[in-house]
Amino acid sequence: MSKLSEEKCVPCQGGVPPLSLAAIQTYLPEVPEWQVMEENGDQKIRRAFAFRKYTLALAFAQQVGMLAEAEGHHPTLLIEWGRVTITWWTHKINGLHRNDFIMAARTDGLYRALPAED
Ligand SMILES: C[C@H](O)[C@H](O)[C@H]1CNC2=NC(N)=NC(=O)C2=N1
């Protein structure tokens, strides 16, 4: 299996079923910090990233937003004092797509690449 973090999103068309729980289980090992949850009937994946400085949280959210724009696949970003909570799912199919796991892996890559907070 190729590394999700090296993949790009495919244009997400509607009309495909959301990933099954079994399929989701095959992707989770590559993004172990992400939680699968259900909200408003849609399955989603969510992770909170901790920051000591609000300005760093803001900068990280901006980076993720730019990645999302480049890939045409967008998350929910909740920016709070001390953390950014990111949720990925595919609105068009009301659930999870491989794209969401690609974007979670690439989000982890952005976080790992951040300089250590002093
Ligand atoms: C036209 C545009 O590409 C689509 O509406 C994209 C935009 N970003 C998206 N982001 C997410 N998370 N789900 C979508 O279904 C989606 N659709």
Side-chain angles (χ1 to χ4, degrees):
M1 180 166 65
S2 68
K3 275 171 67 70
L4 290 171
S5 57
E6 290 160 7
E7 296 195 28
K8 295 179 73 61
C9 286
V10 299
C12 34
Q13 289 90 6
V16 296
L19 290 175
S20 66
L21 270 179
I24 289 168
Q25 294 304 327
T26 67
Y27 290 122
L28 282 177
E30 278 196 72
V31 285
E33 294 91 351
W34 292 76
Q35 302 295 321
V36 181
M37 32 79 70
E38 183 162 318
E39 196 172 56
N40 307 326
D42 296 357
Q43 285 205 302
K44 306 177 180 180
I45 48 175
R46 179 169 291 163
R47 181 182 175 187
F49 296 83
F51 291 91
R52 283 222 298 275
K53 294 195 181 101
Y54 188 77
T55 51
L56 294 177
L58 210 46
F60 176 63
Q62 166 76 8
Q63 277 188 320
V64 177
M66 295 308 287
L67 170 67
E69 196 56 19
E71 292 292 330
H73 199 68
H74 304 85
T76 296
L77 299 169
L78 174 62
I79 304 164
E80 301 169 278
W81 187 87
R83 68 169 166 252
V84 175
T85 303
I86 301 180
T87 307
W88 290 102
W89 82 103
T90 301
H91 309 179
K92 253 195 205 66
I93 64 172
N94 297 108
L96 287 170
H97 183 281
R98 181 184 178 87
N99 284 344
D100 298 303
F101 288 92
I102 290 170
M103 294 306 279
R106 297 207 34 206
T107 302
D108 288 345
L110 289 177
Y111 185 67
R112 278 197 299 274
L114 291 176
E117 287 188 75
D118 52 20

